[in-house]
Amino acid sequence: MRLTEFWRRMHLHFGETYAESFAQDHVMSELGGRTVRQALDAGWEAKDVWRVVCVTQGVSDRLR
Protein backbone atom coordinates (compact mmCIF):
# COMPACT_ATOMS: atom_id res chain seq x y z
CA MET A 1 0.00 0.00 0.00
CA ARG A 2 1.34 3.41 -0.94
CA LEU A 3 1.35 6.16 1.65
CA THR A 4 -1.01 8.22 -0.51
CA GLU A 5 -3.58 5.42 -0.35
CA PHE A 6 -3.01 5.01 3.38
CA TRP A 7 -3.72 8.70 4.00
CA ARG A 8 -6.70 8.70 1.65
CA ARG A 9 -8.27 5.92 3.71
CA MET A 10 -7.36 7.59 7.00
CA HIS A 11 -9.09 10.79 5.83
CA LEU A 12 -12.15 8.91 4.63
CA HIS A 13 -12.52 7.06 7.93
CA PHE A 14 -11.64 9.80 10.42
CA GLY A 15 -12.28 12.96 8.42
CA GLU A 16 -9.69 15.39 7.11
CA THR A 17 -8.90 17.11 10.40
CA TYR A 18 -9.19 14.26 12.89
CA ALA A 19 -7.10 11.85 10.78
CA GLU A 20 -4.04 14.04 11.29
CA SER A 21 -4.72 14.46 15.00
CA PHE A 22 -5.29 10.73 15.50
CA ALA A 23 -2.10 9.85 13.63
CA GLN A 24 -0.05 12.31 15.67
CA ASP A 25 -1.53 11.84 19.14
CA HIS A 26 -3.09 8.39 19.61
CA VAL A 27 -0.57 5.91 21.05
CA MET A 28 -1.39 2.31 20.16
CA SER A 29 0.01 -0.70 21.98
CA GLU A 30 -0.44 -2.72 18.77
CA LEU A 31 2.14 -0.44 17.15
CA GLY A 32 4.64 -1.04 19.93
CA GLY A 33 3.51 1.94 21.97
CA ARG A 34 3.80 4.27 19.00
CA THR A 35 1.48 6.62 17.20
CA VAL A 36 0.64 6.04 13.54
CA ARG A 37 3.17 8.71 12.54
CA GLN A 38 5.87 7.24 14.77
CA ALA A 39 5.29 3.74 13.40
CA LEU A 40 5.52 4.96 9.81
CA ASP A 41 8.65 6.98 10.63
CA ALA A 42 10.16 3.90 12.30
CA GLY A 43 9.81 1.95 9.06
CA TRP A 44 6.54 0.10 9.53
CA GLU A 45 4.83 -0.69 6.24
CA ALA A 46 1.75 1.43 5.59
CA LYS A 47 -0.35 -1.71 4.98
CA ASP A 48 0.60 -3.09 8.40
CA VAL A 49 -0.21 0.17 10.16
CA TRP A 50 -3.51 0.33 8.27
CA ARG A 51 -4.41 -3.21 9.40
CA VAL A 52 -3.87 -2.19 13.02
CA VAL A 53 -6.00 0.92 12.55
CA CYS A 54 -8.75 -1.17 10.93
CA VAL A 55 -8.88 -3.71 13.74
CA THR A 56 -8.65 -1.26 16.62
CA GLN A 57 -10.80 1.56 15.26
CA GLY A 58 -13.67 -0.30 13.60
CA VAL A 59 -12.91 0.73 10.04
CA SER A 60 -15.72 -0.23 7.65
CA ASP A 61 -15.26 -3.16 5.30
CA ARG A 62 -15.39 -0.87 2.26
CA LEU A 63 -12.17 0.88 3.39
CA ARG A 64 -10.28 -2.22 4.40
Side-chain angles (χ1 to χ4, degrees), residues 27-58:
V27 176
M28 304 175 75
S29 61
E30 297 84 357
L31 296 176
R34 296 177 178 92
T35 66
V36 165
R37 287 244 182 235
Q38 290 170 333
L40 292 170
D41 289 346
W44 283 56
E45 295 288 329
K47 67 180 178 179
D48 296 329
V49 175
W50 182 244
R51 286 181 187 136
V52 169
V53 172
C54 287
V55 169
T56 61
Q57 301 304 306

Side-chain angles (χ1 to χ4, degrees), residues 14-34:
F14 291 106
E16 292 292 324
T17 304
Y18 187 62
E20 300 296 330
S21 177
F22 178 87
Q24 185 70 32
D25 300 329
H26 189 80
V27 176
M28 304 175 75
S29 61
E30 297 84 357
L31 296 176
R34 296 177 178 92

